[in-house]
Amino acid sequence: MAGRDPSRRLELLREVVAKGEKLLILIYRNPDPDALGSALALRKLLRKTGENCTLAYTGEVGRPENAAMIKLLRIPVVAFEKSMLRKHSLLAVVDAQPGFFMDNPDLAEVHFSIVIDHHPRHKGFSADFEDIRPSFGSTSTIMTEYIRQSRLKMTTTMATALYYGLETDTASLQRVATDADIAAFRYLRSRVNMHIIRKVKQSHFPLRALDYFATAIVKKQTAGEVIFSHLGMVEVSDVCVQVADFFMGIYEMGWAIVSGITEGELVVVLRCDGYKKDAGKLASDVFGSVGSAGGHRTMARAEILLAELQTALPKVTNEAIEGYLISMIGKRLKPLRRLTGLTYLP
Ligand SMILES: [Mn+2]
């Protein structure tokens, strides 16, 4: 752990990095707002103008909100490639720890010089500089302190990134709110570009998802406050999530169930308002024995291998799948029993 005094901490951090040394700042898996904001801030602290520094993530850009954040704030983050390890002499990780990368053969053994995070400390690593504060709501909170301590200019771009990182990780300070989180929130709030934050938050799906919405609306069936739609083949299962979330915006509906087939699996996404309802329990009760299923009270998902369905259905067609889902889920969700398995197919 770095010293407790903020100015000493900053000194120690900067001592790790020699002039001209190439720095690689890694983000674990999908770049989320907290990791992106923190990576930007660390780059600024160590490389004022961004030279000799690469920001890379080991997964892929998942949520459209995160893609919008990267695009609108022009964050120069790229996908990690093994060759980067040769080209950079110094490795840093923000909003994660070396142990997280054990699932990546290229990174399982490497030495991280700098580790800054707010998750509980993992065992089994040592870094030249580490600052891990599990009580903090976000790594962005830690990085805001560093930038303030450094007297570097808090640009609008950086304030917006850190603010959004803090906001998403703490659910707008509803989930966690230490004094440091609140102080960072107050400091950043007056410096952010709220238009960008609003647009980022509005970015729920990519344009190519629109055709699935059309299918979902045409094929929807409703019974009571349950809306159900089977999309057939989908490119990625995310579209089921996006359609289900969209359906939850219909005020008469308390349940949204959207399914699709992708990569040899039937994916069922369940959403509900949580009032006397439990999507996670429903998913595991109904699908626990045929596939992997579970989730929270308001959001859940089940994945069933098509091979598994072949034993349950004489023929795995979209109509058969609809009928299967309606009868399976109908065991626990009475209104669904009123539906038929056959719907209009465009
Ligand atoms: Mn975080």
Side-chain angles (χ1 to χ4, degrees), residues 32-35 38 95-96 117-119 137-140 165 169:
D32 73 18
D34 191 29
S38 302
D95 200 38
D117 191 21
H118 69 126
H119 296 94
S138 73
T139 306
S140 293
D169 263 34

Side-chain angles (χ1 to χ4, degrees), residues 22-43:
K22 282 212 162 190
L23 173 67
L24 176 61
I25 302 178
L26 279 181
I27 291 172
Y28 178 63
R29 289 212 185 145
N30 309 340
D32 73 18
D34 191 29
L36 288 167
S38 302
L40 265 190
L42 183 62
R43 184 181 74 146

Side-chain angles (χ1 to χ4, degrees), residues 64-332:
E65 288 89 340
N66 299 345
M69 178 183 182
I70 291 167
K71 185 177 137 208
L72 294 171
L73 292 177
R74 297 194 182 90
I75 301 176
V77 67
V78 294
F80 169 76
E81 286 166 27
K82 197 181 176 185
S83 63
M84 289 175 179
L85 294 175
R86 258 187 294 112
K87 294 175 190 151
H88 299 77
S89 47
L90 215 62
L91 239 70
V93 56
V94 286
D95 200 38
Q97 294 172 36
F100 288 40
F101 297 97
M102 290 306 280
D103 59 0
N104 188 322
D106 297 334
L107 291 165
E109 301 284 310
V110 300
H111 174 73
F112 285 87
S113 298
I114 298 169
V115 180
I116 304 178
D117 191 21
H118 69 126
H119 296 94
R121 195 190 188 285
H122 281 211
K123 291 196 187 92
F125 78 89
S126 68
D128 307 324
F129 177 90
E130 75 169 79
D131 186 353
I132 292 169
R133 306 188 215 178
S135 66
F136 279 38
S138 73
T139 306
S140 293
T141 307
I142 304 174
M143 298 315 295
T144 302
E145 275 189 7
Y146 277 108
I147 297 284
R148 293 183 71 176
Q149 181 63 38
S150 73
R151 313 246 162 224
L152 289 163
K153 186 172 163 27
M154 178 63 83
T155 60
T156 304
T157 297
M158 178 145 11
T160 305
L162 289 170
Y163 176 91
Y164 188 57
L166 168 59
E167 203 194 47
T168 51
D169 263 34
T170 62
S172 303
L173 298 177
Q174 288 173 49
R175 199 178 313 143
V176 227
T178 63
D179 288 347
D181 295 321
I182 293 166
F185 193 87
R186 288 175 62 123
Y187 172 81
L188 295 168
R189 194 178 49 179
S190 58
R191 293 168 169 82
V192 307
N193 182 331
M194 278 299 171
H195 302 291
I196 290 183
I197 300 252
R198 202 174 304 121
K199 178 58 199 170
V200 167
K201 284 185 183 170
Q202 279 174 346
S203 301
H204 296 314
F205 43 82
L207 179 62
R208 64 174 187 282
L210 226 47
D211 292 341
Y212 293 109
F213 280 73
T215 306
I217 290 168
V218 169
K219 294 185 70 183
K220 68 160 191 316
Q221 298 192 74
T222 60
E225 55 171 2
V226 185
I227 182 163
F228 165 69
S229 194
H230 174 65
L231 307 183
M233 289 289 264
V234 293
E235 234 175 280
V236 286
S237 64
D238 284 4
V239 295
C240 300
V241 173
Q242 287 145 4
V243 170
D245 286 337
F246 169 69
F247 278 166
M248 282 308 291
I250 306 168
Y251 92 93
E252 291 96 333
M253 295 298 136
W255 277 101
I257 299 159
V258 179
S259 55
I261 298 164
T262 182
E263 290 174 22
E265 275 184 340
L266 171 64
V267 176
V268 188
V269 170
L270 302 102
R271 292 286 185 268
C272 73
D273 57 32
Y275 178 66
K276 295 186 179 173
K277 306 175 184 74
D278 192 331
K281 189 170 183 316
L282 182 95
S284 53
D285 283 355
V286 174
F287 298 109
S289 56
V290 287
S292 74
H296 306 290
R297 195 177 173 109
T298 57
M299 34 176 44
R301 129 191 219 125
E303 291 165 3
I304 304 142
L305 290 172
L306 288 186
E308 180 73 30
L309 283 181
Q310 273 153 4
T311 65
L313 301 172
K315 226 176 154 198
V316 184
T317 60
N318 282 324
E319 289 86 346
I321 289 173
E322 277 183 9
Y324 168 79
L325 289 175
I326 287 168
S327 65
M328 288 288 278
I329 302 170
K331 288 182 197 162
R332 291 298 166 105

